[in-house]
Amino acid sequence: MLARAARGSGALLLRSAVQASPRPPRRASSGLPRNTVVLFVPQQEAWVVERMGRFHRILEPGLNILIPVLDRIRYVQSLKEIVINVPEQSAVTLDNVTLQIDGVLYLRIMDPYKASYGVEDPEYAVTQLAQTTMRSELGKLSLDKVFRERESLNANIVDAINQAADCWGIRCLRYEIKDIHVPPRVKESMQMQVEAERRKRATVLESEGTRESAINVAEGKKQAQILASEAEKAEQINQAAGEASAVLAKAKAKAEAIRILAAALTQHNGDAAASLTVAEQYVTAFSKLAKDSNTILLPSNPGDVTSMVAQAMGVYGALTKAPVPGAQNSVSTRSGRDVQGTDANLDEELDRVKLS
């Protein structure tokens, strides 16, 4: 009896000491109902029953019957998803920056037996585990990575909690960081860093725009020069083709005129027509003398049109006659005499021009 009283007093002292420590209120229990023999268990709740101080069974939702005095409802566990606010705490990052951070924890009791007998207060245990895991994970990251890798940080905290809370019959569904408070000086330096980064990006974008503009202008000038050279080339080719066509057309016209003239000379009175044409050309040329220059060369009798026409027709007749074999020496002697006579006439004309 004394041993039982000592054990009972020790248990009371232990419970009073545990209750004296600050803990959040238990949300996994909806109160301990009394044994009324006939009990109705609500949905999504698990009632742990002890018989004579020993675990007996877990009541399922619906109608249940217990033995009075012997059976006692010891724990009531909620099987719904539970939301727990993790209090704000301080943590030091990898680059020695102190942060004030809090979060929200979402969990669910998967095994009511383990949640009842594996740990004294499941919610308090999970909350403390979440705080210590958060400090441990933040110590592995620098300040910049804390903001960038928020999702991976939450996932790491959930994995660590699930590994430790498996024996408690609790599963952590997710963990979300609510607020991250940075010291004022660090916040000012971060703001300055952000402004410097934005100025840098603006400068880089401006320089890239200037470069692209210069490249576009140079490319435009290059294309303009290429098009201008191609246009000039095409113009020169077209001009050369036009000139060649004109020369060819003139040659064809002249050849046709010569053929027509030759055909006309072979007809009746062709020599008379040729003499008339030569006389007209001589009169036209004589009318243009001394218009372009004061220095001119004139034959000995410029006014004698008949002699000039006769001389021209004689030259034409000499050219049109076929050379006779054996008469080459006489022709050459005659030509030499004609050349000497022509040279003498030219000398006389020069002397007249000098005297005038």
Side-chain angles (χ1 to χ4, degrees), residues 276-291 305:
L276 178 61
T277 302
V278 172
E280 290 178 353
Q281 292 179 356
Y282 180 79
V283 171
T284 303
F286 188 79
S287 64
K288 295 180 180 180
L289 292 176
K291 287 185 177 181
V305 179

Side-chain angles (χ1 to χ4, degrees), residues 87-98:
E88 185 178 4
Q89 61 177 340
S90 62
V92 181
T93 60
L94 184 62
D95 49 356
N96 298 324
V97 178
T98 304

Side-chain angles (χ1 to χ4, degrees), residues 336-354:
R337 291 177 182 176
D338 294 339
V339 169
Q340 290 178 0
T342 305
D343 292 339
N345 294 331
L346 290 175
D347 292 337
E348 291 179 358
E349 295 297 333
L350 289 174
D351 291 336
R352 291 180 183 179
V353 170
K354 290 179 181 180

Side-chain angles (χ1 to χ4, degrees), residues 222-293:
K222 176 183 176 182
Q223 294 295 332
Q225 292 179 357
I226 292 174
L227 293 176
S229 62
E230 291 179 355
E232 185 178 359
K233 176 182 176 182
E235 182 181 0
Q236 292 179 357
I237 292 174
N238 293 334
Q239 185 177 0
E243 292 178 355
S245 300
V247 171
L248 183 60
K250 290 180 180 179
K252 289 182 178 179
K254 190 173 182 179
E256 187 66 22
I258 291 173
R259 282 195 296 269
I260 294 173
L261 180 60
L265 291 176
T266 56
Q267 295 177 2
H268 181 67
N269 295 327
D271 295 337
S275 300
L276 178 61
T277 302
V278 172
E280 290 178 353
Q281 292 179 356
Y282 180 79
V283 171
T284 303
F286 188 79
S287 64
K288 295 180 180 180
L289 292 176
K291 287 185 177 181
D292 296 333
S293 176

Side-chain angles (χ1 to χ4, degrees), residues 34-36 49-54 56-57 65-74:
R34 295 180 181 182
N35 185 359
T36 58
V49 178
E50 294 181 353
R51 175 169 291 180
M52 293 183 294
R54 186 177 180 180
H56 177 57
R57 67 189 178 103
I65 299 175
L66 298 179
I67 300 174
V69 180
L70 296 180
D71 293 338
R72 178 186 176 187
I73 300 173
R74 188 68 179 84

Side-chain angles (χ1 to χ4, degrees), residues 177-197:
I177 297 175
K178 288 172 58 178
D179 297 321
I180 300 176
H181 300 284
V182 184
R185 293 185 179 179
V186 178
K187 190 173 182 180
E188 292 177 0
S189 63
M190 291 175 63
Q191 188 67 26
M192 295 173 61
Q193 182 180 0
V194 171
E195 293 178 358
E197 186 69 22

Side-chain angles (χ1 to χ4, degrees), residues 133-146:
T133 306
M134 186 192 304
R135 281 193 290 265
S136 176
E137 293 295 330
L138 284 176
K140 300 177 184 179
L141 300 175
S142 61
L143 181 60
D144 296 335
K145 290 185 178 181
V146 169

Side-chain angles (χ1 to χ4, degrees), residues 189-227:
S189 63
M190 291 175 63
Q191 188 67 26
M192 295 173 61
Q193 182 180 0
V194 171
E195 293 178 358
E197 186 69 22
R198 289 179 179 176
R199 288 196 296 268
K200 175 183 176 182
R201 291 180 182 177
T203 304
V204 171
L205 291 176
E206 184 178 359
S207 62
E208 289 180 355
T210 305
R211 185 187 67 177
E212 292 294 334
S213 176
I215 291 174
N216 292 335
V217 172
E219 188 69 22
K221 291 182 178 179
K222 176 183 176 182
Q223 294 295 332
Q225 292 179 357
I226 292 174
L227 293 176

